[in-house]
Amino acid sequence: MVSIRPGPVNVGGIQTPNHLLLAAGILGTTGASLARMLSYGAGAVVTKSIGPEPKDGHAGPCLAILDDGVLNAMGLPNPSKDFVEEISPLKGKPVIASIYGGNPEEFAMVAEWFRGSAAAIELNLSCPHAEGYGAAVGSDPHLVEACTLAVSRLGMPTWVKLTPNVTDITAIGKAAERGGASAIVAINTVKAMRISTGLRRPVLGNRYGGLSGKAIFPVAVRCVYELYESCHIPIIGCGGVSSADNVLEMMMAGAVAVEIGSAVYSDVRVFETIARTLYADDGVPAHDLVGCAHG
Ligand code: RRO
């Protein structure tokens, strides 16, 4: 397996010590858990998504652990503006605030709360089960462009996390680019469901949820590959990454870095585990690999 030379990386307008970032929604609800993931080798950490009003989330069950993935319908639970104080001790660290809103004004308002405390903003335009939010907004290129512009014009590095649950993800990526995004994050979870044959009912309280983990890695690679062919801004690969070889594959598809989520459930030190095989002082520069699978 090829190795990468270690060293600082510029990821969508922020400096990180490596290519391995913590994805939104995993251990991102407290400043302490985010600090812990940084101390365990995450190059940057993304918070749980924060919105304009506090939200309790969907009725349970909210999570189902499957053979090759995780199905969730948390329902955007978050404390809204109070979360700003939660991450204030991490000021100056590579913390990215994931935010959601129902329109450009709400996105701009929530992003503004994090000015000075977050290194970048990640727009959640992709949660698959949030009425009026997430993919409900992020499937419309005009809304994606407008929401992205409302945040990018504030002057903070602006990442846009895309849904795979659309016919043409490149149309959404290009809309984010037109809106001034510094980077695209691909992908959020894949809309999915399971039914308990014993209970004859859907497993999740919300019936539908989002699938993450190893099962969606090929979908994520396909989306990164397509976006690389159509967009000119950096792409951060996300979805089922769980090994150093997965990181290389994402880079070859076109990702400059990756976000890791579900793999943290089975190895809380997955960043160090992956880094041990991914990096070597005599490795190749990462930029030699980014997009190299394109002909
Ligand atoms: O909170 C959730 O249910 C959730 C979010 Br915000 C998201 O972006 N993706 C997902 O699968 N679940």
Side-chain angles (χ1 to χ4, degrees), residues 246-271:
N246 286 169
V247 177
L248 296 174
E249 191 172 335
M250 275 292 193
M251 287 182 166
M252 291 178 186
V256 298
V258 299
E259 290 186 4
I260 300 174
S262 299
V264 175
Y265 286 127
S266 36
D267 177 9
V268 77
R269 291 184 174 268
V270 66
F271 300 97

Side-chain angles (χ1 to χ4, degrees), residues 47-80:
T47 70
K48 177 70 183 156
S49 296
I50 302 299
E53 302 287 345
K55 235 179 186 304
D56 291 336
H58 291 317
C62 294
L63 205 64
I65 307 297
L66 310 179
D67 289 345
D68 223 13
V70 180
L71 186 61
N72 91 85
M74 303 303 293
L76 301 101
N78 79 98
S80 192

Side-chain angles (χ1 to χ4, degrees), residues 39-220:
S39 78
Y40 285 178
V45 291
V46 186
T47 70
K48 177 70 183 156
S49 296
I50 302 299
E53 302 287 345
K55 235 179 186 304
D56 291 336
H58 291 317
C62 294
L63 205 64
I65 307 297
L66 310 179
D67 289 345
D68 223 13
V70 180
L71 186 61
N72 91 85
M74 303 303 293
L76 301 101
N78 79 98
S80 192
K81 196 174 183 180
D82 284 354
F83 189 73
V84 177
E85 210 165 295
E86 184 65 36
I87 61 164
S88 62
L90 297 175
K91 196 174 162 141
K93 306 260 190 228
V95 176
I96 294 97
S98 169
I99 66 166
Y100 70 85
N103 54 50
E105 294 71 31
E106 286 185 354
F107 268 105
M109 177 183 76
V110 180
E112 191 63 62
W113 295 342
F114 289 100
R115 183 187 290 286
S117 60
I121 302 291
E122 181 178 284
L123 275 65
N124 182 340
L125 283 161
S126 41
C127 177
H129 44 257
E131 218 174 298
Y133 298 117
V137 183
S139 304
D140 177 337
H142 299 293
L143 286 175
V144 169
E145 181 175 346
C147 292
T148 307
L149 185 61
V151 174
S152 70
R153 62 161 42 131
L154 301 176
M156 294 178 260
T158 302
W159 301 0
V160 178
K161 190 168 183 179
L162 304 187
T163 176
N165 305 308
V166 288
T167 308
D168 180 9
I169 196 167
T170 67
I172 312 294
K174 284 190 273 193
E177 190 167 65
R178 285 195 301 274
S182 328
I184 293 165
V185 182
I187 54 175
N188 205 315
T189 52
V190 176
K191 189 173 181 181
M193 86 182 292
R194 291 295 299 271
I195 291 170
S196 161
T197 53
L199 298 174
R200 302 185 181 197
R201 287 287 178 277
V203 164
L204 295 174
N206 186 59
R207 297 182 294 158
Y208 307 107
L211 182 64
S212 59
K214 287 183 185 178
I216 71 163
F217 181 68
V219 180

